[in-house]
Amino acid sequence: MALATGSPIPARQRKRLRVRIIVSVLLIGTLLSILFAAYAVLLRSYLEDRLIGATLSREISNYADAFRRDPNTYGIEFSKIRGNVYSKAKFANVPLAWRELPSGVYRLTEEALEGRVAYKLAVLKEADYWFFLRYDITAEERTRRSVAVAIALSVLLFSGLALLLGIWSSERIMAPVLDLVRRVQRLGRRGEKPEPLSPHFANDEVGALAGALDDYSERLTRLVERDREFNNDVSHELRTPLAIIRSTTELLLGMPELPPKVLERMRRIERASKQSTELIEALLHLSRGERQAPTDGEFIQVDRLLPQIIEAHRPQLKQKPVEVKLVINHSAAVHAPESVLSVALGNLIG
């Protein structure tokens, strides 16, 4: 019997197709959710920074103009915006964190009684006056953190939905494939002609695979039938001449005046004809699918067949430095056709 050999398939290639579908959908869903969440966070931060920065830049210029018109606006304070103006004589009073900052908009943090405070600081420095607008963004920072947590939870939620979608879609995708597997496994179980597979499937990839299996099954069925017909025909055609040889040999062996050498040769012819008959019967059994047991259900004694088979091989053994001895420790019976067992033992001894 020929064995198909080849390099083993790596473990990563032996994963079930359904698992790979689920993992693929899960990864795609999770990746898209993360990308969308990151884009939303970055876009919000970018727009918020641009909006606050542009507003503070515009307002500090207005604040400086208003101060020039009315210096009483010094130190004006709103709910979230506080303006400060320092004259040249009071530059030393500017907070240390602000003192070295050039004109522009900055994000700063500082510790306060209520905790860490974050704010945007707009700076406008002139020769005689330094203008500062402070915009408190502590609430926005907290909101941003809350939004980040909400987005992270959303990513987990969408990943769970992607997992459920992957399981559902894998079941839908694998259903026709599993149906095809079940139908293929049932092919020819009862010795009947295989039922076509393609009518049970849609005109898609699985249907194309079913059609290819139908073509292969049809070719294989024709090949097996042709082989059986050939074995039957050859076996029946050979039975007649072998029967004539055996009957003629039996008649000749019954003649008392035969010389010993001729008698020995006639017995060799008789054994060869018997081997040929057993071989033909074995072919008939195989062509009819009778490989399990003899038709009458009897057990064949191996120790009864072995002496005849060894004796049939004596002529070949005479020309070789081989000695064959039959040692029977206990009797053995095999539930198999006698012709098939004779052929098998004859091949082994031969």
Coordinates of all heavy atoms in Angstrom, one line a residue, residues 252-311:
L252 N -4.2 -37.9 -15.3 CA -2.8 -38.4 -15.5 C -2.2 -38.9 -14.2 O -1.4 -39.9 -14.2 CB -1.9 -37.3 -16.1 CG -2.3 -36.9 -17.6 CD1 -1.4 -35.7 -18.0 CD2 -2.1 -38.1 -18.5
L253 N -2.5 -38.3 -13.1 CA -1.9 -38.7 -11.8 C -2.5 -40.1 -11.4 O -1.9 -40.8 -10.6 CB -2.2 -37.7 -10.7 CG -1.4 -36.4 -10.8 CD1 -1.9 -35.4 -9.8 CD2 0.1 -36.7 -10.6
G254 N -3.7 -40.4 -12.0 CA -4.3 -41.7 -11.7 C -3.7 -42.9 -12.4 O -4.0 -44.0 -12.2
M255 N -2.8 -42.6 -13.4 CA -2.2 -43.7 -14.2 C -1.0 -44.2 -13.4 O -0.1 -43.5 -12.9 CB -1.7 -43.1 -15.5 CG -2.8 -42.5 -16.4 SD -2.2 -41.7 -17.9 CE -1.4 -43.1 -18.7
P256 N -1.0 -45.6 -13.1 CA 0.0 -46.2 -12.3 C 1.4 -46.3 -13.0 O 2.4 -46.5 -12.3 CB -0.6 -47.6 -12.0 CG -1.5 -47.8 -13.1 CD -2.0 -46.5 -13.6
E257 N 1.5 -46.3 -14.3 CA 2.7 -46.5 -14.9 C 3.6 -45.3 -15.1 O 4.6 -45.3 -15.9 CB 2.5 -47.2 -16.3 CG 1.7 -46.3 -17.3 CD 0.2 -46.3 -17.2 OE1 -0.2 -46.9 -16.2 OE2 -0.5 -45.8 -18.1
L258 N 3.2 -44.1 -14.5 CA 4.0 -42.9 -14.7 C 5.3 -43.0 -14.0 O 5.4 -43.5 -12.8 CB 3.2 -41.7 -14.2 CG 2.0 -41.2 -15.0 CD1 1.3 -40.1 -14.3 CD2 2.5 -40.8 -16.4
P259 N 6.4 -42.6 -14.6 CA 7.7 -42.5 -13.9 C 7.7 -41.5 -12.8 O 6.9 -40.6 -12.8 CB 8.7 -42.1 -15.0 CG 8.0 -42.4 -16.3 CD 6.5 -42.2 -16.0
P260 N 8.6 -41.7 -11.8 CA 8.6 -40.8 -10.7 C 8.8 -39.3 -11.0 O 8.2 -38.4 -10.5 CB 9.7 -41.3 -9.8 CG 9.9 -42.7 -10.2 CD 9.5 -42.8 -11.6
K261 N 9.8 -39.1 -12.0 CA 10.0 -37.7 -12.4 C 8.8 -37.0 -13.1 O 8.5 -35.9 -12.8 CB 11.2 -37.6 -13.3 CG 12.5 -37.9 -12.6 CD 13.7 -37.7 -13.6 CE 15.0 -37.9 -12.9 NZ 16.2 -37.7 -13.8
V262 N 8.1 -37.8 -13.9 CA 6.9 -37.3 -14.6 C 5.8 -37.1 -13.5 O 5.1 -36.1 -13.6 CB 6.5 -38.3 -15.7 CG1 5.1 -37.8 -16.2 CG2 7.5 -38.4 -16.7
L263 N 5.7 -38.0 -12.6 CA 4.7 -37.8 -11.5 C 5.0 -36.6 -10.7 O 4.0 -35.8 -10.4 CB 4.8 -39.1 -10.6 CG 3.7 -39.1 -9.5 CD1 2.3 -39.2 -10.1 CD2 3.9 -40.4 -8.6
E264 N 6.3 -36.3 -10.4 CA 6.6 -35.1 -9.6 C 6.2 -33.8 -10.4 O 5.6 -32.9 -9.9 CB 8.0 -35.1 -9.3 CG 8.4 -33.8 -8.5 CD 9.9 -33.8 -8.2 OE1 10.6 -34.8 -8.5 OE2 10.4 -32.8 -7.6
R265 N 6.5 -33.8 -11.7 CA 6.2 -32.7 -12.5 C 4.7 -32.5 -12.7 O 4.2 -31.4 -12.7 CB 6.8 -32.8 -13.9 CG 8.3 -32.8 -13.9 CD 8.9 -32.7 -15.3 NE 10.3 -32.6 -15.3 CZ 11.2 -33.5 -15.6 NH1 10.7 -34.7 -15.9 NH2 12.5 -33.3 -15.5
M266 N 3.9 -33.6 -12.8 CA 2.5 -33.5 -12.8 C 1.9 -32.9 -11.6 O 0.9 -32.2 -11.6 CB 1.9 -34.9 -13.1 CG 2.2 -35.5 -14.5 SD 1.7 -34.4 -15.8 CE -0.1 -34.3 -15.6
R267 N 2.5 -33.3 -10.4 CA 2.0 -32.7 -9.2 C 2.3 -31.2 -9.1 O 1.5 -30.4 -8.5 CB 2.6 -33.5 -8.0 CG 2.1 -34.9 -7.8 CD 2.8 -35.6 -6.7 NE 2.2 -36.9 -6.5 CZ 2.7 -37.9 -5.8 NH1 3.9 -37.6 -5.2 NH2 2.1 -39.0 -5.6
R268 N 3.4 -30.8 -9.6 CA 3.7 -29.4 -9.7 C 2.7 -28.6 -10.5 O 2.3 -27.5 -10.2 CB 5.2 -29.2 -10.2 CG 6.3 -29.6 -9.2 CD 7.6 -29.5 -9.9 NE 7.9 -28.1 -10.3 CZ 9.0 -27.8 -11.0 NH1 9.9 -28.7 -11.3 NH2 9.1 -26.5 -11.4
I269 N 2.3 -29.3 -11.7 CA 1.3 -28.7 -12.5 C 0.0 -28.6 -11.7 O -0.7 -27.6 -11.8 CB 1.1 -29.5 -13.8 CG1 2.4 -29.4 -14.6 CG2 -0.1 -29.0 -14.6 CD1 2.4 -30.3 -15.9
E270 N -0.3 -29.6 -11.0 CA -1.6 -29.6 -10.2 C -1.6 -28.5 -9.2 O -2.6 -27.7 -9.0 CB -1.8 -31.0 -9.5 CG -3.1 -31.0 -8.7 CD -3.2 -32.3 -8.0 OE1 -2.1 -32.9 -7.6 OE2 -4.3 -32.8 -7.7
R271 N -0.4 -28.3 -8.5 CA -0.3 -27.2 -7.5 C -0.4 -25.9 -8.1 O -1.1 -24.9 -7.6 CB 1.0 -27.4 -6.6 CG 1.0 -28.6 -5.7 CD 2.1 -28.5 -4.7 NE 3.4 -28.5 -5.4 CZ 4.1 -29.7 -5.6 NH1 3.6 -30.8 -5.1 NH2 5.3 -29.7 -6.2
A272 N 0.2 -25.7 -9.3 CA 0.2 -24.4 -9.9 C -1.2 -24.1 -10.4 O -1.7 -22.9 -10.3 CB 1.2 -24.4 -11.1
S273 N -1.9 -25.1 -10.9 CA -3.3 -24.8 -11.3 C -4.2 -24.5 -10.2 O -5.1 -23.6 -10.2 CB -3.8 -26.1 -12.1 OG -3.9 -27.2 -11.2
K274 N -3.9 -25.1 -9.0 CA -4.7 -24.8 -7.8 C -4.4 -23.4 -7.3 O -5.3 -22.6 -7.0 CB -4.4 -25.8 -6.7 CG -5.2 -25.6 -5.4 CD -4.9 -26.6 -4.4 CE -5.8 -26.4 -3.1 NZ -5.4 -27.4 -2.1
Q275 N -3.1 -23.0 -7.4 CA -2.8 -21.6 -7.0 C -3.5 -20.6 -8.0 O -4.0 -19.6 -7.5 CB -1.3 -21.4 -7.1 CG -0.6 -22.0 -5.9 CD 0.9 -21.8 -6.0 OE1 1.5 -21.7 -7.0 NE2 1.6 -21.6 -4.8
S276 N -3.5 -20.9 -9.2 CA -4.1 -20.0 -10.2 C -5.6 -19.9 -9.9 O -6.2 -18.9 -10.0 CB -3.9 -20.5 -11.6 OG -2.5 -20.6 -11.9
T277 N -6.2 -21.1 -9.6 CA -7.7 -21.1 -9.3 C -7.9 -20.2 -8.0 O -8.9 -19.4 -8.0 CB -8.2 -22.5 -9.1 OG1 -7.9 -23.3 -10.2 CG2 -9.7 -22.5 -8.8
E278 N -7.1 -20.4 -7.0 CA -7.3 -19.6 -5.8 C -7.1 -18.1 -6.1 O -7.8 -17.2 -5.5 CB -6.3 -20.0 -4.7 CG -6.6 -21.4 -4.2 CD -5.6 -21.9 -3.2 OE1 -4.5 -21.3 -3.2 OE2 -5.8 -22.9 -2.5
L279 N -6.1 -17.8 -6.9 CA -5.9 -16.4 -7.3 C -7.1 -15.8 -8.0 O -7.5 -14.6 -7.8 CB -4.7 -16.2 -8.1 CG -4.3 -14.8 -8.6 CD1 -4.1 -13.9 -7.4 CD2 -3.0 -14.8 -9.5
I280 N -7.7 -16.6 -8.9 CA -8.9 -16.1 -9.6 C -10.0 -15.9 -8.7 O -10.8 -14.9 -8.8 CB -9.2 -17.1 -10.8 CG1 -8.1 -17.1 -11.8 CG2 -10.6 -16.8 -11.3 CD1 -8.3 -18.1 -12.9
E281 N -10.2 -16.8 -7.8 CA -11.3 -16.7 -6.8 C -11.1 -15.4 -5.9 O -12.1 -14.7 -5.6 CB -11.4 -17.9 -5.9 CG -11.9 -19.2 -6.7 CD -11.9 -20.4 -5.8 OE1 -11.5 -20.3 -4.6 OE2 -12.4 -21.5 -6.3
A282 N -9.8 -15.2 -5.5 CA -9.5 -14.0 -4.8 C -9.9 -12.7 -5.6 O -10.5 -11.7 -5.0 CB -8.1 -13.9 -4.4
L283 N -9.6 -12.7 -6.8 CA -9.9 -11.5 -7.7 C -11.4 -11.4 -7.7 O -11.9 -10.2 -7.7 CB -9.3 -11.7 -9.1 CG -7.8 -11.6 -9.2 CD1 -7.4 -11.9 -10.6 CD2 -7.4 -10.2 -8.8
L284 N -12.1 -12.5 -7.8 CA -13.6 -12.4 -7.9 C -14.1 -11.8 -6.6 O -15.1 -11.0 -6.5 CB -14.2 -13.8 -8.1 CG -14.1 -14.3 -9.6 CD1 -14.6 -15.7 -9.7 CD2 -14.9 -13.4 -10.5
H285 N -13.6 -12.3 -5.4 CA -14.0 -11.7 -4.1 C -13.8 -10.2 -4.1 O -14.6 -9.5 -3.6 CB -13.3 -12.4 -3.0 CG -13.8 -13.8 -2.6 ND1 -15.1 -13.9 -2.1 CD2 -13.3 -15.0 -2.7 CE1 -15.3 -15.2 -1.9 NE2 -14.3 -15.9 -2.2
L286 N -12.6 -9.8 -4.5 CA -12.3 -8.4 -4.5 C -13.1 -7.6 -5.4 O -13.6 -6.4 -5.1 CB -10.8 -8.2 -4.8 CG -9.8 -8.8 -3.8 CD1 -8.4 -8.6 -4.3 CD2 -9.9 -8.2 -2.4
S287 N -13.4 -8.1 -6.6 CA -14.2 -7.3 -7.5 C -15.7 -7.2 -7.0 O -16.4 -6.3 -7.4 CB -14.2 -8.0 -8.9 OG -14.8 -9.3 -8.8
R288 N -16.1 -8.2 -6.2 CA -17.5 -8.1 -5.7 C -17.6 -7.5 -4.3 O -18.7 -7.4 -3.8 CB -18.1 -9.5 -5.6 CG -18.2 -10.2 -7.0 CD -18.5 -11.7 -6.8 NE -18.5 -12.4 -8.1 CZ -18.6 -13.7 -8.2 NH1 -18.6 -14.5 -7.1 NH2 -18.6 -14.3 -9.4
G289 N -16.4 -7.0 -3.8 CA -16.5 -6.4 -2.5 C -16.6 -7.3 -1.4 O -16.9 -6.9 -0.2
E290 N -16.3 -8.6 -1.6 CA -16.4 -9.6 -0.5 C -15.1 -9.8 0.2 O -14.4 -10.8 0.1 CB -16.9 -11.0 -1.1 CG -18.2 -10.9 -1.8 CD -18.6 -12.2 -2.5 OE1 -17.7 -13.1 -2.5 OE2 -19.7 -12.3 -3.0
R291 N -14.7 -8.8 0.9 CA -13.4 -8.8 1.6 C -13.5 -9.1 3.1 O -12.4 -9.2 3.7 CB -12.7 -7.4 1.4 CG -12.6 -6.9 0.0 CD -11.8 -5.7 0.0 NE -11.7 -5.1 -1.4 CZ -11.0 -4.1 -1.8 NH1 -10.3 -3.4 -0.9 NH2 -11.0 -3.7 -3.0
Q292 N -14.7 -9.3 3.6 CA -14.8 -9.5 5.0 C -14.7 -10.9 5.5 O -14.0 -11.2 6.4 CB -16.1 -8.9 5.5 CG -16.3 -7.4 5.1 CD -15.2 -6.6 5.8 OE1 -14.8 -6.8 6.9 NE2 -14.8 -5.5 5.1
A293 N -15.4 -11.8 4.8 CA -15.4 -13.2 5.3 C -15.9 -14.1 4.2 O -16.4 -13.6 3.2 CB -16.4 -13.3 6.5
P294 N -15.7 -15.4 4.3 CA -16.2 -16.3 3.3 C -17.7 -16.3 3.3 O -18.4 -16.0 4.3 CB -15.7 -17.7 3.7 CG -15.3 -17.5 5.2 CD -14.9 -16.1 5.3
T295 N -18.3 -16.6 2.1 CA -19.7 -16.5 2.0 C -20.5 -17.4 2.9 O -21.6 -17.2 3.3 CB -20.1 -16.9 0.5 OG1 -19.6 -18.1 0.2 CG2 -19.5 -15.8 -0.4
D296 N -19.9 -18.6 3.2 CA -20.6 -19.5 4.2 C -20.4 -19.2 5.6 O -20.9 -19.8 6.5 CB -20.1 -20.9 3.9 CG -18.6 -21.1 3.9 OD1 -17.9 -20.1 4.3 OD2 -18.1 -22.2 3.6
G297 N -19.5 -18.2 5.9 CA -19.3 -17.7 7.3 C -18.4 -18.6 8.1 O -18.3 -18.5 9.3
E298 N -17.7 -19.6 7.5 CA -16.8 -20.5 8.2 C -15.4 -19.9 8.4 O -15.0 -19.0 7.7 CB -16.7 -21.8 7.4 CG -18.0 -22.6 7.3 CD -17.7 -23.9 6.5 OE1 -16.6 -24.1 6.0 OE2 -18.7 -24.7 6.4
F299 N -14.8 -20.4 9.4 CA -13.4 -20.0 9.7 C -12.4 -20.9 9.0 O -12.7 -22.1 8.9 CB -13.1 -20.0 11.2 CG -13.7 -18.9 12.0 CD1 -15.0 -18.9 12.4 CD2 -13.0 -17.7 12.2 CE1 -15.6 -17.9 13.1 CE2 -13.5 -16.7 12.9 CZ -14.9 -16.7 13.3
I300 N -11.3 -20.4 8.5 CA -10.3 -21.1 7.8 C -9.1 -21.4 8.7 O -8.6 -20.5 9.3 CB -9.9 -20.4 6.5 CG1 -11.1 -20.0 5.6 CG2 -8.8 -21.2 5.7 CD1 -11.9 -21.2 5.2
Q301 N -8.8 -22.7 8.8 CA -7.6 -23.1 9.6 C -6.3 -22.8 8.9 O -6.1 -23.3 7.8 CB -7.7 -24.6 10.0 CG -8.9 -24.9 10.8 CD -8.9 -24.3 12.2 OE1 -7.8 -24.1 12.8 NE2 -10.1 -24.0 12.7
V302 N -5.5 -21.9 9.4 CA -4.3 -21.5 8.8 C -3.3 -22.7 8.7 O -2.6 -22.9 7.7 CB -3.6 -20.3 9.5 CG1 -2.3 -19.9 8.8 CG2 -4.6 -19.1 9.5
D303 N -3.2 -23.5 9.7 CA -2.3 -24.6 9.8 C -2.6 -25.7 8.7 O -1.8 -26.5 8.3 CB -2.2 -25.3 11.1 CG -3.6 -25.6 11.7 OD1 -4.6 -25.2 11.1 OD2 -3.7 -26.3 12.7
R304 N -3.8 -25.7 8.2 CA -4.2 -26.6 7.1 C -3.8 -26.1 5.8 O -3.4 -26.9 4.9 CB -5.7 -26.8 7.1 CG -6.2 -27.8 6.1 CD -7.7 -28.0 6.2 NE -8.5 -26.7 6.0 CZ -8.8 -26.3 4.8 NH1 -8.4 -26.9 3.7 NH2 -9.4 -25.1 4.6
L305 N -3.7 -24.8 5.6 CA -3.3 -24.2 4.3 C -1.8 -24.1 4.2 O -1.3 -24.3 3.1 CB -3.9 -22.8 4.2 CG -5.4 -22.7 3.9 CD1 -5.8 -21.3 3.9 CD2 -5.8 -23.5 2.7
L306 N -1.1 -23.9 5.3 CA 0.4 -23.6 5.2 C 1.2 -24.7 4.5 O 2.0 -24.5 3.7 CB 0.9 -23.3 6.6 CG 0.6 -21.8 7.0 CD1 1.1 -21.7 8.5 CD2 1.3 -20.8 6.1
P307 N 1.0 -26.0 4.9 CA 1.8 -27.1 4.3 C 1.6 -27.1 2.8 O 2.6 -27.3 2.0 CB 1.2 -28.3 4.9 CG 0.7 -27.9 6.2 CD 0.1 -26.5 6.0
Q308 N 0.4 -26.9 2.3 CA 0.1 -26.9 0.8 C 0.9 -25.7 0.2 O 1.5 -25.9 -0.9 CB -1.4 -26.8 0.5 CG -2.2 -27.9 1.2 CD -3.7 -27.7 1.0 OE1 -4.1 -26.9 0.2 NE2 -4.5 -28.4 1.8
I309 N 0.8 -24.5 0.8 CA 1.4 -23.4 0.2 C 3.0 -23.5 0.2 O 3.6 -23.2 -0.8 CB 1.0 -22.1 1.0 CG1 -0.5 -21.9 0.9 CG2 1.7 -20.9 0.4 CD1 -1.0 -20.8 1.7
I310 N 3.5 -24.0 1.3 CA 5.0 -24.2 1.3 C 5.4 -25.2 0.3 O 6.4 -25.1 -0.4 CB 5.4 -24.6 2.8 CG1 5.2 -23.5 3.7 CG2 6.9 -25.0 2.8 CD1 5.5 -23.8 5.2
E311 N 4.7 -26.3 0.2 CA 5.0 -27.3 -0.8 C 4.9 -26.8 -2.2 O 5.7 -27.2 -3.1 CB 4.0 -28.5 -0.6 CG 4.5 -29.8 -1.4 CD 5.8 -30.3 -0.9 OE1 6.1 -30.1 0.3 OE2 6.5 -31.0 -1.7

